[in-house]
Amino acid sequence: TGGTINGTGSLEIQAQAVGSDTMLARIVKMVAAAQRSRAPIQTVADRISGWFVPLVLAISVLTFIAWYVTGPAPRFGHALLNAISVLIIACPCALGLATPMSIMVGTGRGAREGVLVRNAEALQALDKVDTLVVDKTGTLTEGHPRLIGLDVTEGWQETDVLRLAASVEAQSQHPLAQAVVRALKDRHGDPAPVSDFASQPGLGVSGTVDGHQVVIGNAERLKQAGADTTPLEAAATARRQGGAGVMFVAIDGKLAGLIAVADPLMADTQATLAALHADGLRIVMLTGDNETTAKAVAKAAGHIAEIHAGLKPQDKADIIRHLEASGARVAMTGDGVNDAPALAAASVGIAMGTGTDVAIESAGITLAHGSLGALVRARMLAHATMRNIRQNLAFSFLFNGIGIPVAAGALYPVFGMLLSPMIAGAAMALSSVTVVTNALRLGKEPVTPMRPTDTRHTGSI
């Protein structure tokens, strides 16, 4: 089926997209589109340009009149040359190049670093965010959990419960489901055929195996199926306190067991969160997992200020809307289908490149290699790009603020100097070259790490 991921095994593949329709070509197109996009800061230059042009024309006319009325002979010649010099030196080329050149270089730099920017607006938003919301599974953790325990109720054997549960989970793409399937295969078992398979995101899955109605999920999902999870709640709590995720299994409407799976943190999770926290971000974790498990993972990861557990996909989006309504500027990082609404709701969505296509399409930025450490580079890139844009805009305004009075003859009464149109043209061209050169510097300059004292973050983006 289109869009599925082959975790293990071999496949016979028929190529249905080549050339410009391939994923690589789509990435190239996305980067090119981002380089052509406009950052909101560009509107500052646009608004100023709207007033700048008529103002310069007015200054040119006033310069002509002032020199023609009060200037030395030949008055007309001096008036005409100075008026023309004002028009030439004030040509707003540098102002027009300030933002797009930085965006083009910055997004290209990001692509080389594994940070794919969909549009310039996302880059500017990432520079300003003060709250980072992260998913747990596949974002903070590796997304490749393994089964670490199986508890069953009286009357059931572990092998039977695992076989029935794994047969249903084999129909799911969820990483926790695949952990159950791998556990069955490691015990040399094969999933049985399943009918009536159904998935409820954030709750669990169900299906019919060998005539048995099997439901796997959280306590709420089993309650819907009419099963009481009380007999195994103590065992579930103990598993969660150890950082494991728990899935209850009901067979024919009665509790049969619980499956405990553990998903280790990514190698760079702790260092990444430390760096982002040092950069002033408040980190919030959202997960559909149980609160006890979520707290154990958050404690191991460190620097997580707030935890929301047991969430459905829409709950994540609602929390982000609430955060933004309270004044926070939110970036959301996730990788799954259930993260897509939250990614779309945030000021900037950041998808893991190893995640689902739905998540990637919902996000403004994609971390191509699926490493959370790339989020540090993305944040640094956003800072560097916006700083570069502000430098370019400041130089453009400063150049015109000094150049126009000089071209109008402000130095003549003191130094007897006038700026010829030829020199004014050269100065105008030099301003554009300066802006372009500063933007190109963004592509090569080392960017100061967020935490210089932490060698795990040294290097350049």
Side-chain angles (χ1 to χ4, degrees):
T1 303
T4 57
I5 299 173
N6 178 38
T8 58
S10 60
L11 294 173
E12 289 186 5
I13 300 174
Q14 178 182 0
Q16 295 180 332
V18 296
S20 62
D21 296 325
T22 61
M23 178 59 72
L24 176 60
R26 288 168 56 193
I27 291 174
V28 172
K29 289 178 183 177
M30 184 168 68
V31 173
Q35 291 177 333
R36 293 192 300 269
S37 64
R38 293 162 55 87
I41 197 173
Q42 177 69 40
T43 59
V44 175
D46 293 343
R47 286 198 301 268
I48 292 175
S49 296
W51 291 95
F52 183 78
V53 173
L55 180 61
V56 167
L57 291 174
I59 293 174
S60 179
V61 171
L62 291 175
T63 299
F64 180 87
I65 294 173
W67 278 92
Y68 187 74
V69 173
T70 63
R75 292 183 177 181
F76 180 81
H78 282 116
L80 183 61
L81 288 177
N82 288 334
I84 292 174
S85 294
V86 169
L87 292 176
I88 292 175
I89 204 168
C91 180
C93 295
L95 190 62
L97 289 170
T99 299
M101 280 300 302
S102 297
I103 292 297
M104 183 179 71
V105 176
T107 51
R109 175 83 180 265
R112 294 199 303 272
E113 299 291 338
V115 178
L116 302 179
V117 181
R118 184 178 295 276
N119 53 59
E121 183 178 0
L123 202 60
Q124 182 172 339
L126 183 59
D127 174 61
K128 294 181 178 180
V129 298
D130 53 29
T131 302
L132 174 65
V133 175
V134 293
D135 174 48
K136 180 176 73 68
T137 305
T139 302
L140 297 180
T141 63
E142 292 180 356
H144 300 294
R146 59 183 182 275
L147 187 143
I148 62 170
L150 179 62
D151 300 315
V152 296
T153 58
E154 186 177 352
W156 285 100
Q157 298 294 322
E158 288 188 7
T159 304
D160 296 332
V161 172
L162 178 61
R163 177 176 176 274
L164 292 173
S167 297
V168 176
E169 294 285 25
Q171 312 301 312
S172 173
Q173 296 182 35
H174 198 284
L176 298 182
Q178 296 307 307
V180 179
V181 176
R182 283 195 299 272
L184 177 63
K185 292 182 177 179
D186 289 343
R187 301 185 186 189
H188 307 291
D190 294 316
V194 178
S195 60
D196 302 323
F197 174 80
S199 175
Q200 293 179 266
L203 293 175
V205 294
S206 62
T208 301
V209 183
D210 295 340
H212 295 289
Q213 178 63 30
V214 182
V215 177
I216 307 107
N218 58 21
E220 182 182 347
R221 179 66 185 90
L222 262 71
K223 183 178 180 181
Q224 293 177 1
D228 181 14
T229 60
T230 303
L232 291 177
E233 283 292 352
T237 300
R239 297 284 191 184
R240 289 166 182 150
Q241 289 174 342
V246 171
M247 295 177 287
F248 290 102
V249 181
I251 300 175
D252 296 328
K254 295 182 179 180
L255 181 68
L258 69 80
I259 297 171
V261 294
D263 188 7
L265 290 175
M266 288 188 180
D268 57 358
T269 290
Q270 294 173 322
T272 298
L273 295 187
L276 294 171
H277 176 75
D279 191 45
L281 290 181
R282 176 171 174 264
I283 302 172
V284 178
M285 185 176 78
L286 306 183
T287 178
D289 213 335
N290 181 274
E291 184 175 0
T292 304
T293 303
K295 287 182 177 179
V297 173
K299 183 178 180 181
H303 301 286
I304 295 178
E306 188 176 329
I307 300 168
H308 296 271
L311 302 177
K312 298 176 184 177
Q314 189 56 46
D315 295 333
K316 295 183 179 182
D318 290 341
I319 289 172
I320 286 179
R321 294 189 186 98
H322 174 73
L323 288 171
E324 295 202 328
S326 64
R329 294 174 176 173
V330 181
M332 165 69 188
T333 305
D335 72 321
V337 174
N338 59 336
D339 298 321
L343 290 169
S347 295
V348 54
I350 304 169
M352 308 298 282
T354 52
T356 62
D357 286 349
V358 174
I360 293 172
E361 288 297 323
S362 301
I365 294 175
T366 301
L367 308 181
H369 305 308
S371 168
L372 193 64
L375 183 54
V376 177
R377 296 197 295 274
R379 175 77 165 175
M380 293 164 66
L381 176 66
H383 287 330
T385 302
M386 298 313 299
R387 183 170 59 247
N388 193 270
I389 289 174
R390 287 189 286 268
Q391 290 170 352
N392 286 344
L393 290 174
F395 175 79
S396 301
F397 297 146
L398 180 63
F399 172 81
N400 284 296
I402 296 174
I404 291 175
V406 171
L411 298 179
Y412 185 80
V414 179
F415 301 103
M417 293 175 53
L418 291 176
L419 195 66
S420 74
M422 185 184 304
I423 300 300
M428 184 274 294
L430 181 62
S431 70
S432 299
V433 171
T434 302
V435 166
V436 171
T437 301
N438 188 52
L440 293 175
R441 182 177 57 83
L442 178 62
K444 295 183 179 180
E445 71 169 25
V447 180
T448 304
M450 294 181 187
R451 298 183 65 198
T453 58
D454 189 339
T455 57
R456 290 171 295 185
H457 303 295
T458 57
S460 63
I461 23 165

